[in-house]
Amino acid sequence: MTDRPVIAIGLGALVFAALAFVPYMVDGYGMSLAIAIANYTILATAWALFSGPTRYISLATVAFFGVGAYTVAVLGEVLPWPVVMLVAAVNGCLLALLVGLSTLRLAGIYFVIFTFGLTELIRQVVTWYEVKVTSTVGRYVFLDIDQQAIYWQLLGVAALLFLSGYLIGRSRLGFALRIIGGDEMVACYVGIDTTRAKLLLFVLSALFMTLTGAIMAPRWTYIDPAIAFNPQVSFQTVIMALLGGVQRLWGPLLGVIPLTLLFDWLNAHFPNHYLLILGIVFMLIVYLLPQGVAGALARLRGLRSRKERASAAMKEARQ
């Protein structure tokens, strides 16, 4: 490993170590915002980890998130917490394998529609099971896990996600996925197993989404299918990732922080018009910032660099 990756990983470790002290510096409301930001940072970054290089728009985020949450609701008081997390991870990976093998040969709008329908299908199946088999509507989650512990667990998952994304971006898998995103037919012609590459990254992305749902479950106390599989989570994740930019690993973070604050304010002041405003925000992002904030910053840097080179060339010509 060269010096540059070591420095990047070291700086990342320092940033996450500093963020670990956030619970000691904020009040209850600040802690709630910190958890929300950490939650959507993982979801948006995990979404971009797959959808960024492949350009497959997935709306299945909340399907994996909900599976993690419901695993905790069912097993949280039966098994030790590490075992519950392991079971949730296995459930999420198995679901991702099933979905991936069924849908990753699709592309474009067909993939979008299928992933959206998947969430609704899972929600209806869980609702049917709760009503017909267990004769309940939802489940209570009574676990001795406070907000600080939830935040630290999310922070640990986020650190692992960023490290995984950084290593994948420098690997042959990351290179193959960028070729797939550019032109999948070309990727096939040069000998890349496109289905295998997409499936591996889809499962990894789903793993982090599932763990996030499992960690967030104790915060709600009560969980039902409408809460665990709320499609709004998927849409907000996509909007945040697109605003920040999916071509950089840190890009989604530029969308998560401002939109988490905005959505929190909108929920408090315009609860009846929240979804309408959410749709307007999505359209504005797609129209004004198609490459996200990260892409806009990259274009500005490129423009400034070209101006500097042109200015230097003019000075040399005058001399």
Side-chain angles (χ1 to χ4, degrees), residues 188-208:
C188 292
Y189 286 140
V190 298
I192 296 174
D193 188 343
T194 57
T195 300
R196 178 175 177 272
K198 290 185 294 184
L199 184 61
L200 284 173
L201 202 59
F202 188 70
V203 171
L204 182 63
S205 172
L207 169 64
F208 286 105

Side-chain angles (χ1 to χ4, degrees), residues 141-163:
V141 182
F142 296 120
L143 296 175
D144 188 20
I145 301 176
D146 59 18
Q147 289 201 96
Q148 289 186 351
I150 291 173
Y151 172 78
W152 283 323
Q153 290 179 69
L154 290 174
L155 192 65
V157 172
L160 183 59
L161 171 59
F162 276 95
L163 178 60

Side-chain angles (χ1 to χ4, degrees), residues 125-146:
V125 169
V126 173
T127 301
W128 175 87
Y129 182 84
E130 293 283 58
V131 173
K132 299 296 184 180
V133 179
T134 64
S135 299
T136 61
V137 177
R139 295 173 182 266
Y140 289 96
V141 182
F142 296 120
L143 296 175
D144 188 20
I145 301 176
D146 59 18

